Amino acid sequence: MVRYKFLYLLAVPGIAYFILFKFVPMWGLAIAFQDYNPYAGIDGSQWVGLKHFKELFADPSFYIMLRNTFAINLFGLVFMFPVPIALALMLNEVRHEVFKRFNQSIVYLPHFLSWVVVTSLTFFIFSTDVGIVNKLIMEAGHEPISFLSNPNYFWALITAQNMWKEAGWGTIIFLAAMAGVDPQRYEAAVVDGATRWKQIWHITLPAIRPTIIILLILRLGHMADVGFEQVLLMMNPLVTSVAEVFDTYAYSIGILRGQISIGVTVGMFKGVVGLVLVLVSNYVVKKMGHEGIY
């Protein structure tokens, strides 16, 4: 520790962040087992055991929320997760440095936009009244399509928003992994007559496989999480059946209705599901002969 004291010093803000905002608040999980009264506090509130968990699982909307949450995340896993990898592979093949950096900046930019801006753009593009897409459809002589109020399009819109906003930012880690590949391996492949595609398939992808596996395991740990702000802004009464997720339910029950114990119960359930998925996926990955996250 003496030898690397400056590295430990650099790590202090990150360590402090996790202690203050991740570990200390875990004491509040006790609220899930209480009829919590904000005036009495945790120490003065009545303990009720698993009462709130039973109420949550008995709620008719529980399985609807479970379906919606996993469906949105499954869409993201299938369609969103591979996009940063493909984008990083394409950017890695660009040899003109100025052009490469320009494109990196362009694809990173949406990450810094708030969900309010992204949702506003979505309305501007897909709304029935002023949407550009519907104007083109009507110009072609067809009836406008209610993209924003049709439940059949909701999951696709959420996935498309995530892809546009976060795909570029997700390439950073993969590009960093690709930068660590020994250039001599590519030189040897060229001497052996390997094409660019074969170099990608046999050198680049195997080199970043550990990174892909780790990020996939971590992604599975968030299968019970859906972007609360994104879904809340995109929701309307016509799509509630496919838009209601655990995050919005915890907000409406815990904050709007003041049933804080139920809100904490939902959060704890999500955490347990995420933990189980991480442990199971890590175990499966290790059984397949790869390195896991621990």
Side-chain angles (χ1 to χ4, degrees):
M1 291 185 70
V2 174
R3 181 179 178 185
Y4 298 108
K5 56 182 177 295
F6 293 111
L7 293 180
Y8 284 106
L9 186 62
L10 287 172
V12 166
I15 295 171
Y17 166 79
F18 278 98
I19 291 175
L20 290 174
F21 298 105
K22 300 296 182 180
F23 288 97
V24 172
M26 289 182 71
W27 169 247
L29 292 176
I31 295 174
F33 305 97
Q34 298 177 322
D35 270 335
Y36 179 70
N37 185 337
Y39 298 101
I42 295 177
D43 294 332
S45 297
Q46 181 184 0
W47 289 85
V48 294
L50 299 176
K51 171 188 172 184
H52 300 303
F53 289 93
K54 294 177 181 177
E55 291 178 357
L56 175 64
F57 297 145
D59 192 320
S61 62
F62 172 78
Y63 294 101
I64 296 175
M65 294 186 294
L66 187 67
R67 180 203 65 185
N68 295 342
T69 300
F70 277 93
I72 292 173
N73 278 297
L74 190 60
F75 268 68
L77 191 64
V78 173
F79 297 104
M80 170 65 185
F81 186 78
V83 172
I85 302 173
L87 196 56
L89 289 170
M90 289 189 287
L91 288 172
N92 191 56
E93 293 300 309
V94 177
R95 292 294 172 258
H96 195 287
E97 284 299 319
V98 176
F99 182 71
K100 180 179 181 178
R101 291 173 184 174
F102 175 77
N103 279 280
Q104 285 177 326
S105 300
I106 293 298
V107 298
Y108 295 167
L109 183 62
H111 170 78
F112 299 99
L113 299 177
S114 72
W115 279 116
V116 175
V117 175
V118 175
T119 304
S120 299
L121 289 173
T122 304
F123 274 83
F124 180 70
I125 294 171
F126 292 105
S127 68
T128 307
D129 299 328
V130 298
I132 297 173
V133 173
N134 271 312
K135 284 185 177 180
L136 293 174
I137 291 174
M138 288 187 287
E139 285 291 332
H142 301 286
E143 291 294 322
I145 301 174
S146 302
F147 292 104
L148 302 177
S149 58
N150 189 331
N152 295 328
Y153 296 112
F154 185 80
W155 294 343
L157 285 173
I158 292 293
T159 305
Q161 285 180 331
N162 281 321
M163 290 174 64
W164 180 77
K165 188 175 187 295
E166 303 296 346
W169 186 253
T171 62
I172 292 176
I173 297 176
F174 296 111
L175 283 172
M178 292 173 190
V181 181
D182 188 353
Q184 294 182 357
R185 298 179 64 183
Y186 292 107
E187 294 171 3
V190 171
V191 172
D192 291 337
T195 62
R196 295 302 302 174
W197 172 248
K198 287 185 177 180
Q199 292 176 43
I200 293 172
W201 186 258
H202 295 289
I203 298 176
T204 309
L205 283 175
I208 67 172
R209 185 184 298 142
T211 304
I212 294 174
I213 290 172
I214 290 173
L215 291 179
L216 178 60
I217 293 173
L218 294 177
R219 180 69 184 81
L220 289 172
H222 289 279
M223 285 296 285
D225 286 323
V226 177
F228 163 73
E229 185 179 358
Q230 178 192 15
V231 175
L232 185 67
L233 291 170
M234 289 293 293
M235 278 183 69
N236 61 69
L238 297 175
V239 298
T240 302
S241 61
V242 294
E244 186 75 273
V245 294
F246 290 117
D247 299 87
T248 56
Y249 179 80
Y251 169 72
S252 62
I253 292 292
I255 303 299
L256 299 183
R257 302 184 191 178
Q259 299 181 32
I260 300 175
S261 294
I262 297 292
V264 176
T265 301
V266 173
M268 189 172 183
F269 169 76
K270 287 169 47 186
V272 171
V273 170
L275 176 62
V276 171
L277 288 174
V278 166
L279 295 176
V280 171
S281 58
N282 189 70
Y283 174 80
V284 172
V285 164
K286 283 191 170 183
K287 282 295 182 181
M288 294 172 65
H290 303 292
E291 265 190 61
I293 58 175
Y294 61 88

